[in-house]
Amino acid sequence: STFVAGLEKLKKGEIEPYGVPLAGELPIDFKDIRIVGSYDVDRAKIGKKLSEVVSQYWGDVNSLSDDPVVSTGVHLGSVKNLPIEAEGLEDSMTLKEAVERLVDEWSKLDPDVIVNTCTTEAFKPFGNKKELLKAIENNDKERLTATQVYAYAAALYAKKRGGAAFVNVIPTYIANDPAFVELAKENNLVVFGDDGATGATPFTADVLSHLAQRNRYVKDVAQFNIGGNMDFLALTDEGKNKSKEFTKSSIVKDILGYDAPHYIKPTGYLEPLGDKKFIAIHIEYISFNGATDELMINGRINDSPALGGLLVDLVRLGKIALDRKEYGTVYPVNA
């Protein structure tokens, strides 16, 4: 909803493109982005016009230039224990039939780019394509997550259409799972992912890069986030929290070249914080002549706008990669 609201205001010239990193640097204008479809698994939203849903969060957006009806998606238990009455295609059909339904609907809507923003899931990577296809064929609703089903459907859609892009901004491995990368390359699918990483983690990455460039030795890193939105509520589930922790923690060794002791986790849920999460970072490092320095950073970050601004770029980059036939993962974007 934040992405849709902000995009509408950008198209009308009502706001500046702050928070859109490549605002004026891509050959695709904001006005060229059209929203042709929308999916949800919240029974209170399915069947409504997208503008009705968006206006629940953004009262200053009552009409949209593109206003599709919200269709039924797939949840596979991803919203369990959340205050949502869930409704998914898999409730009334097999996963194979649900995939066929999605591919058929997308073929009519004809999107270039499909964006996955569903809630954080507890997941297990497939590693090889054979296992993935077996799970779909066997209707294994325990093994598969909603994101994995969407990515599989996107690959079949891309094959049928002659190319498409799939943008995954949650921690479930798609761009990092060889099974999906192989599937994407075979079916003319561009894959961006995984995890939007819009708050404390990219900030920590920037600071670690700064220290690495100056040859300072990082002794330890502590980072945590507390938020009050639906995604933080979902992260109170240990399996989902673990998924997020994995994508966050991998940055330390990638940047420094060694695995400094670290605690980097989405730590908790506090409802009054709402969408404006609290972040805290502490980094201890050794400088010249054995001196030990410390950095302590606190912040409040609006969670959804941080991701919404990136999506404006990612959908445009997805179209560019598609036009260039850069199927599979695109490292400069994914990194």
Side-chain angles (χ1 to χ4, degrees), residues 91-110:
D91 297 333
S92 59
M93 61 184 76
T94 67
L95 291 176
K96 196 173 180 183
E97 289 169 336
V99 167
E100 288 169 359
R101 169 81 69 87
L102 290 171
V103 172
D104 183 56
E105 288 176 0
W106 295 345
S107 297
K108 290 169 185 160
L109 297 172
D110 195 37

Side-chain angles (χ1 to χ4, degrees), residues 12 41 99 245 280 319:
K12 292 175 179 174
V41 294
V99 167
E245 180 187 338
K319 171 62 174 162

